[in-house]
Amino acid sequence: MSERTDFIRHIERLPEAVAAAANGLSDKQLDTPTGEGKWTIRQIIHHIADANINAYTRMKLIVTETKPILKPYDQDRWAALPDGKSEPLEATFGLLRGLHLRWSRFLNSLSESDWSREGIHLENGKVTLDDVLKTYSTHGERHTEQIVTFRKKMNW
Amino acid sequence: MSERTDFIRHIERLPEAVAAAANGLSDKQLDTPTGEGKWTIRQIIHHIADANINAYTRMKLIVTETKPILKPYDQDRWAALPDGKSEPLEATFGLLRGLHLRWSRFLNSLSESDWSREGIHLENGKVTLDDVLKTYSTHGERHTEQIVTFRKKMNW
Amino acid sequence: MSERTDFIRHIERLPEAVAAAANGLSDKQLDTPTGEGKWTIRQIIHHIADANINAYTRMKLIVTETKPILKPYDQDRWAALPDGKSEPLEATFGLLRGLHLRWSRFLNSLSESDWSREGIHLENGKVTLDDVLKTYSTHGERHTEQIVTFRKKMNW
Amino acid sequence: MSERTDFIRHIERLPEAVAAAANGLSDKQLDTPTGEGKWTIRQIIHHIADANINAYTRMKLIVTETKPILKPYDQDRWAALPDGKSEPLEATFGLLRGLHLRWSRFLNSLSESDWSREGIHLENGKVTLDDVLKTYSTHGERHTEQIVTFRKKMNW
C-alpha cells in the first residue's frame, strides 16, 4: 500500500477514530483544557471538522482550477467561537461522517496527474494536492492521538 | 421577526426541508436531469452542501479576520466531480445536519456590529456578513423549491 | 470635453504641475513637515510617484486580465522608506515624466468598453477602470494643491 | 563583493546599459522583431520598465507587509499595448533612470534580516526578497544581452 493510499485510508477512518477516542466522556471532561492555555477535547474535535472543511475545499479548488488561491484560516479564533467551543459533539460527528464519505469518494476518483496539481496557499506558498492530503491526513491522526494520550494521562 | 432572523431560521430548517423535498425518490429519479443540460436532483442536493460549506467558511473568515479574501469556487466543476454527481444522499444529509447545527449556533451568537463586517469576494467585490447570510439563505431555499417544482412537473 | 477626457488631461499634465509646485524650494523647505505628524513636500512628491506606479499597474492589470486582484499598498510605510523620504526630487521627476508619457498613451488608446472593465481591490472591493482613473487623477491634483497651499501659508 | 551586492550593482547600472545597447538604432531597427513571433527591441526595452515597476512594487510590499500577495502580470499582453509597442524610447529611459535611482537607494538601505522576508507570488509561491532581487537583476541583464546579441547578428 502506497503512502498516498495510506493517507486516504486514514481520512476514511477518521470520523470513527475520533468518535471512539471521545467515547463515554462527560461534558465536564470534554470541557477540561488539555493543558495550560490549551484547547479542550471538545474544541479539538470541533477544530478537526473546521480543518477538514477547509482541506476538502482546498483540494476541490486545486482539482477544478489552475493554481487557485488557498486561504488560510485563523484556527484559534475559530476554536473560540461558540459553536467550536461548546456545541454538542453530535453536530460535528454527523458533519464529519458525511464530509469524509464525500471526501473519500473524491480522493479515490483522482488520476495520478491530479496529485501534482498545485494551489497557492497565502501563508505557505505553493502546495501540491499530495501535500494537502499528507498535511490533513496527518493532522487528523495527530489530534486523535492527542485525545487518547490526554485520556490516559487523566485516567479517564 | 426581522429579515435577518428569518434568513437564519431558513438556514436552521434547510437540512430537513431538503430531505423532505427528496423523500421517497428512487435512484433513477434522483439521477434524472431537471432540464436540458441541467443538474440532477442528486447534484442539486450535493451542491447545496458544497455551497454551504463555502458559506460557513466565508462567514467565519469575515468574523475572525479584517476584510478577508473570499474565494469563489467553480460550482459546475464541483457538481461534476464523482462525489457531487453520484454519492448516496445520506452522506450529504448527515453533513448538512451537522454543519447547519454549528452554523446556526454561530449565527445566533453574533452581535449587531458583526453583521456589517466585510470580506472581499474575488468575483463580486466587497460583501457584508448580512449579504452572505441573505445570499446563502435564499440560495438553499431556491434550490429546495426547484426540487419540489420538478417533482410536481414529473408527477413524482 | 467629457469628465474622463478631463481626468486623462490632468494625468498628462501632472509631472509638470508637480515640478512647478516644488520649483525653487530649498532642501530645508522640502524637508519641513506640512503639519503636525504629516509628510514633508519631498515625501508627498515621492508618494505621488509610488501611487501612480501602483495606478499604472492596476489599470494595465484590469485591461489585460479578467477581474484581477488589485493589491493595496501601505502608503505611510512606503513614504517612510529612505528613497521616499530623502531622495533628491530629480529621480521622481524623471520617473513621473516617463511614466506619465506611457500611461497617457495607454489611456488614450482604450475603447469605450475597456472603461467598464473591473478589478477586485483587496480593500475597496470591485472597481472599474473609470473608477481607478478618477481616483488617481484626483489624487495627483489634490496633492499638487496641497503643496501650493502649504507654500502660500509659509510665504515661500 | 557578495552576490547580493553584485545584483544591486547591476540594477544601478541597468538604465545606462540598456540605453547603450540601443544607442543609435533607427525606428525601423527598433521595430524589427528579434525572431519569428518575438518582441522587437523597442518592446523589450519597454518591457524591462514594466518588469522593474512590478519588481520595485513587490520588493516594497515584502518589506512593508507580512507575506503580501505578489500579483503576476501578463507580460505578453502588456508588451502588446500601444505604449509598450510603439512609444518612443525616451519615455522609458527617463522612467528607468528615476525608478532605478529610487530602487537602488531603497535596496542599499535594507538590513540583513530584511532579505529573508517573504511574499506569496500567485504563480510561483513563496519568494524571499533575495529571490526577487536575483530574478529581476538577472532579468534586466539577460534582456540587455539579448539586444546586444541581436545587433551583432544583424550587423547593426
Side-chain angles (χ1 to χ4, degrees), chain C residues 10-123:
Chain C
H10 275 103
I11 285 176
E12 286 167 354
R13 293 173 182 166
L14 185 85
E16 297 319 316
V18 175
N23 189 38
L25 290 174
S26 68
D27 276 346
K28 200 178 161 189
Q29 290 169 326
L30 290 172
D31 291 324
T32 305
T34 55
E36 180 87 13
K38 289 197 172 171
W39 292 341
T40 64
I41 292 179
R42 191 189 302 280
Q43 282 179 303
I44 291 169
I45 292 173
H46 288 321
H47 160 70
I48 292 173
D50 282 340
N52 289 357
I53 278 175
N54 277 283
Y56 169 86
T57 303
R58 286 175 197 176
M59 295 184 94
K60 292 213 159 174
L61 291 174
I62 289 176
V63 170
T64 58
E65 302 182 22
T66 301
K67 293 201 181 172
I69 287 178
L70 307 178
K71 180 75 188 64
Y73 71 103
D74 187 328
Q75 60 176 31
D76 287 314
R77 292 202 178 176
W78 285 43
L81 293 170
D83 67 301
K85 203 168 174 182
S86 45
E87 187 73 13
L89 292 185
E90 285 60 38
T92 278
F93 288 155
L95 193 172
L96 281 177
R97 284 191 188 103
L99 179 74
H100 282 239
L101 277 174
R102 290 194 54 183
W103 194 8
S104 308
R105 174 83 168 244
F106 164 68
L107 293 176
N108 285 308
S109 76
L110 298 171
S111 65
E112 184 58 37
S113 63
D114 286 329
W115 292 99
S116 52
R117 293 182 67 89
E118 298 168 332
I120 305 292
H121 186 278
L122 293 185
E123 177 77 22

Side-chain angles (χ1 to χ4, degrees), chain A residues 77-137:
Chain A
R77 292 202 177 175
W78 285 43
L81 292 170
D83 67 301
K85 203 169 174 182
S86 45
E87 187 73 12
L89 292 185
E90 284 61 38
T92 278
F93 289 154
L95 192 172
L96 280 177
R97 285 192 187 102
L99 179 74
H100 283 239
L101 277 174
R102 291 193 54 182
W103 195 9
S104 308
R105 174 81 168 246
F106 164 69
L107 294 175
N108 285 308
S109 76
L110 298 170
S111 66
E112 185 58 36
S113 63
D114 286 328
W115 292 99
S116 52
R117 292 182 67 89
E118 298 168 333
I120 305 293
H121 186 279
L122 293 185
E123 177 78 21
N124 303 329
K126 203 186 279 185
V127 292
T128 64
L129 196 63
D130 258 329
D131 293 333
V132 182
L133 174 69
K134 180 175 182 174
T135 297
Y136 283 96
S137 182

Side-chain angles (χ1 to χ4, degrees), chain B residues 18-32 34 40-42 45 89-90 93 147-148 150-152 154-156:
Chain B
V18 175
N23 189 38
L25 290 173
S26 67
D27 276 346
K28 199 177 162 189
Q29 290 171 325
L30 290 172
D31 292 325
T32 304
T34 56
T40 64
I41 292 179
R42 190 188 303 278
I45 292 173
L89 292 184
E90 283 61 37
F93 288 155
I147 297 168
V148 172
F150 185 62
R151 285 187 77 158
K152 268 192 199 138
M154 300 299 279
N155 276 318
W156 287 346

